[in-house]
Amino acid sequence: MSSARPATLEQWLAHIEQQHPQAIAMGLDRVREVAQRMQLGKPAARSIVVGGTNGKGSTVAFIESIARAAGWKVGAYTSPHLLSYNERVRIDGTDVDDARLVAGFNAVEDARGDTALTYFEYGTLCALWLFQQAGLDLAVLEVGLGGRLDAVNIVDADVSVITTVDIDHADWLGNDRETIGEEKAGIIRGWKPVILGEIDPPSSVLRRAYVLGANAIRFGSDFFAEAIDGERWRWRDVSFRIELPQPALWAPIQCNNAATAIAALRALDKPVPRAAWAQGVAEARIAGRLQRFQHQGVEVLLDVGHNPQAAAALATALKAQPIAGRTLAVYAALADKDAEGVAAALQAQVEAWFFAGLEGPRGQTAAQLQARLATNDAGDAVLSDTVAQALAAALAAAGEGDRVLVFGSFHTVAEALPLLRSAD
């Protein structure tokens, strides 16, 4: 290669953004071919691939945390990131540093030849290369988009997880749960377990598991999460039960995600010490999932939820934690998201709305967002150019005992998070 090859992580990220004419190009042929040239085998002694519409990142965090509490060496690959690319690749609970990521990207570049790779394909191959070198007991890999044609799907996982199936990324995956389920079900492997994180998955998912002879293990049917009191809950299946602390990730849906993670680990042929289940559930952390801050007597919540199913879970969480004051929502969404469905799911829990614009090819202004919600209660909103301005306006309007919810996209949370951390 010429001397023009990037040297720093920042330069590499700029480079890989330019290497494929499309930001998203579904298909496994390119990435599989380069993986073979890189001699990528299994990324770890055991691997779990996590797909689904919502709850993927939290489920990965629970799997990673429990496995590490069990003393395993774990690698986790997730996307997108909030503040730095390094968040996407973790080994032993620590984000991989710039130097190792640069080494990984160089390894991809050495092997790819004339094959054009997308940003996500570069990142996936880099992560798999780093994991293969690390001598891991477990690799946990989050699907980026869909499943069947996602780069992560070149890995033949020991256990597959499909958290939930709902409408999102309709341009790529389809407009109904059955069609989307077919795409998600692409990560299922023959005669291997697949954990289904909802009691009523699309029949397309169940049909795929049946055709492949995969053992479908379903939340609410084959394993259960039951509340005991405000501090504890119980996980059980036909042969095992355990009482657990409430997750630090406090939304009610997080017990479902933790339960799904436990089912995934129990499906591996590797014993977990009993104490590790509770320790892992209690210690799991992930930014931007109803993450709490206090700002001059006002509680601020950050959440990356960006589709109606996630908004419904947010509404349930807010309802479960009533406050004396008002809930003010700072909302910024990408133009290709179902803003109407999101606002409808949350409007009963929100007294005042503050819209912000997002930049980029998929972004939209606050005025464009307002126009889409003109017939909704949220349409009567305060408009700001940026998330920072909208957050400042909401905090100025909030009084002691109120709370501010900042949500709608990873981009929204990424803009707000540094502001709140610096003020914390």
Side-chain angles (χ1 to χ4, degrees), residues 27-52:
L28 298 181
D29 292 345
R30 296 180 310 278
V31 71
R32 189 172 275 138
E33 180 182 340
V34 178
Q36 288 170 349
R37 291 185 207 150
M38 294 174 71
Q39 298 183 309
L40 293 181
K42 296 178 66 173
R46 292 168 178 80
S47 58
I48 298 174
V49 167
V50 180

Side-chain angles (χ1 to χ4, degrees), residues 32-99:
R32 189 172 275 138
E33 180 182 340
V34 178
Q36 288 170 349
R37 291 185 207 150
M38 294 174 71
Q39 298 183 309
L40 293 181
K42 296 178 66 173
R46 292 168 178 80
S47 58
I48 298 174
V49 167
V50 180
T53 303
N54 293 305
K56 295 190 297 291
S58 298
T59 301
V60 169
F62 282 117
I63 293 172
E64 179 188 19
S65 183
I66 294 166
R68 294 192 67 237
W72 303 1
K73 188 172 185 181
V74 184
Y77 175 55
T78 59
S79 63
H81 60 274
L82 282 171
L83 301 183
S84 75
Y85 187 91
N86 310 67
E87 298 165 25
R88 294 184 180 222
V89 188
R90 290 191 302 279
I91 295 176
D92 259 351
T94 302
D95 296 347
V96 168
D97 61 29
D98 286 14

Side-chain angles (χ1 to χ4, degrees), residues 41-283:
K42 296 178 66 173
R46 292 168 178 80
S47 58
I48 298 174
V49 167
V50 180
T53 303
N54 293 305
K56 295 190 297 291
S58 298
T59 301
V60 169
F62 282 117
I63 293 172
E64 179 188 19
S65 183
I66 294 166
R68 294 192 67 237
W72 303 1
K73 188 172 185 181
V74 184
Y77 175 55
T78 59
S79 63
H81 60 274
L82 282 171
L83 301 183
S84 75
Y85 187 91
N86 310 67
E87 298 165 25
R88 294 184 180 222
V89 188
R90 290 191 302 279
I91 295 176
D92 259 351
T94 302
D95 296 347
V96 168
D97 61 29
D98 286 14
R100 283 191 288 175
L101 287 169
V102 166
F105 286 131
N106 271 302
V108 178
E109 194 74 5
D110 288 341
R112 79 174 179 89
D114 295 328
T115 304
L117 296 172
T118 67
Y119 182 91
F120 185 76
E121 289 167 344
Y122 259 102
T124 301
L125 290 167
C126 173
L128 294 176
W129 185 81
L130 290 166
F131 288 169
Q132 182 172 279
Q133 292 191 320
L136 301 176
D137 298 304
L138 176 67
V140 195
L141 309 169
E142 180 185 350
V143 169
L145 176 62
R148 182 176 64 91
L149 299 176
D150 186 84
V152 165
N153 201 32
I154 64 170
V155 174
D156 288 324
D158 298 288
V159 175
S160 303
V161 177
I162 300 175
T163 53
T164 62
V165 178
D166 208 71
I167 313 299
D168 200 8
H169 300 290
D171 290 349
W172 294 100
L173 304 179
N175 292 303
D176 60 86
R177 288 182 79 230
E178 288 299 324
T179 305
I180 294 171
E182 285 185 28
E183 295 298 321
K184 305 286 187 192
I187 65 173
I188 300 173
R189 292 297 187 266
W191 310 107
K192 297 286 180 69
V194 55
I195 312 302
L196 305 176
E198 55 189 346
I199 193 168
D200 187 27
S203 59
S204 56
V205 173
L206 297 172
R207 187 163 54 246
R208 180 68 178 166
Y210 179 78
V211 166
L212 292 175
N215 180 20
I217 302 169
R218 200 186 318 185
F219 180 88
S221 176
D222 301 300
F223 65 95
F224 302 86
E226 301 164 337
I228 298 172
D229 54 35
E231 302 294 322
R232 297 171 302 147
W233 61 288
R234 179 187 298 109
W235 189 97
R236 67 175 175 88
D237 64 10
V238 293
S239 62
F240 181 75
R241 65 173 56 210
I242 189 167
E243 290 189 8
L244 298 159
Q246 289 292 336
L249 301 173
W250 64 269
I253 196 69
Q254 294 297 359
C255 278
N256 293 27
N257 293 331
T260 301
I262 291 169
L265 285 163
R266 279 184 48 76
L268 289 175
D269 60 341
K270 187 174 172 67
V272 174
R274 193 171 182 91
W277 299 114
Q279 182 184 339
V281 167
E283 293 180 353

